[in-house]
Amino acid sequence: MLPKNTEMDELLDGWEINTRCPLCQSEGIHYHKVVHSIPVVKARYQGIEMPMQTIICYWICMDCGLIFQNPHMTSETLDRFYGDGIYREIYGHGDFEQRRIDRLVEFVRGYAFDSHLDLGCGQGMLVSATRHAYACESVGLEWGEKPKGMFDLVSSIHVLEHTLDPLAHIKSLMAHANKYILIEVPRVDTPGYLAHTLEIPTWTLHRLLKMAGLEIVKFDDNPGWATVLAEFM
């Protein structure tokens, strides 16, 4: 366990240390790995602005398998990170993002829905795509925005790995869903990102959805990501 003292408190300003697993609350957590992130921090040195790598420490829960940053940014620090536009500026969008959207639209084909809410919508590409493909009401909200109303399909694409409490996030999606929850997360050991507070193995994702009271109706496990469509039990 990391020491707690005055110097450490100053070093971890805006960060927190976990003593339990963020998912199952087990105390059986251990150091897992250290990774160097893709640059997401900018520093100014002698008038020159440069992207900087960050060193991220991950721990693992020996009970549920969740891998999580420890220490990690506080919720307030994460809100500033996303609210300032740093994340979108660094990663942006490209051809890969459009291919992902096309794949997701096909993934839900055959499952009836008249309304769609995308939480963590970015530039709204999935919202536009589902609206065009299925002639449905489609709404997109970004990080921190509060949804209103109920929707047949609620999606959260590459958002879960950015959260601090994965079960609470799933339940927040369920609170606005009539039928289906659509989730996609990167596979474990994809390139490191400062904002990826969690790495979620496939079996842990299954357990998480069951804990939330969801049943998987379709699952796609690829080398780079896991996509799941679930409904209420």
Side-chain angles (χ1 to χ4, degrees):
M1 181 53 58
L2 293 172
K4 291 290 287 181
N5 54 43
T6 302
E7 290 185 0
M8 182 64 71
D9 288 344
E10 292 177 356
L11 179 64
L12 294 174
D13 184 28
W15 293 69
E16 292 177 332
I17 295 175
N18 278 44
T19 59
R20 294 175 178 268
C21 170
L23 175 55
C24 70
Q25 301 304 308
S26 169
E27 293 183 346
I29 60 175
H30 299 281
Y31 166 80
H32 182 57
K33 64 180 178 179
V34 166
V35 300
H36 293 81
S37 78
I38 292 175
V40 293
V41 176
K42 291 183 178 180
R44 184 172 295 275
Y45 176 71
Q46 294 184 349
I48 302 174
E49 192 175 71
M50 299 176 292
M52 305 290 290
Q53 281 191 324
T54 53
I55 299 174
I56 306 168
C57 181
Y58 284 93
W59 286 42
I60 187 170
C61 176
M62 305 308 293
D63 290 313
C64 74
L66 184 71
I67 301 168
F68 55 95
Q69 285 185 14
N70 202 21
H72 60 81
M73 286 188 278
T74 64
S75 58
E76 293 79 10
T77 306
L78 280 172
D79 287 344
R80 291 199 302 270
F81 181 75
Y82 294 112
D84 291 344
I86 299 172
Y87 181 77
R88 292 297 177 195
E89 180 183 347
I90 294 291
Y91 298 116
H93 298 279
D95 292 341
F96 174 78
E97 185 74 10
Q98 185 58 59
R99 292 195 298 271
R100 173 192 292 164
I101 297 302
D102 295 341
R103 174 174 48 78
L104 289 168
V105 168
E106 288 304 311
F107 186 79
V108 297
R109 190 173 298 279
Y111 297 89
F113 59 94
D114 295 322
S115 56
H116 168 222
L117 170 65
D118 187 31
L119 288 175
C121 65
Q123 295 181 340
M125 296 173 68
L126 182 58
V127 171
S128 298
T130 54
R131 185 184 297 135
H132 175 75
Y134 300 112
C136 65
E137 174 194 0
S138 195
V139 177
L141 296 177
E142 258 293 29
W143 182 276
E145 294 184 291
K146 304 299 182 183
K148 296 179 181 179
M150 301 295 292
F151 300 82
D152 292 340
L153 171 67
V154 177
S155 59
S156 186
I157 307 304
H158 289 264
V159 175
L160 185 61
E161 68 272 16
H162 298 263
T163 65
L164 299 177
D165 187 337
L167 183 58
H169 179 71
I170 297 296
K171 289 184 175 180
S172 73
L173 305 180
M174 295 169 63
H176 297 277
N178 289 323
K179 292 184 178 180
Y180 301 114
I181 303 292
L182 174 65
I183 296 169
E184 185 169 280
V185 295
R187 291 290 303 272
V188 172
D189 292 328
T190 55
Y193 294 91
L194 174 63
H196 283 189
T197 53
L198 306 175
E199 290 187 357
I200 309 170
T202 297
W203 73 275
T204 305
L205 181 58
H206 281 258
R207 176 170 177 169
L208 167 61
L209 295 174
K210 185 176 181 179
M211 289 172 64
L214 292 171
E215 183 176 3
I216 295 174
V217 297
K218 188 175 183 179
F219 193 87
D220 185 12
D221 197 13
N222 283 279
W225 61 83
T227 312
V228 58
L229 185 68
E231 63 183 2
F232 292 89
M233 288 182 177

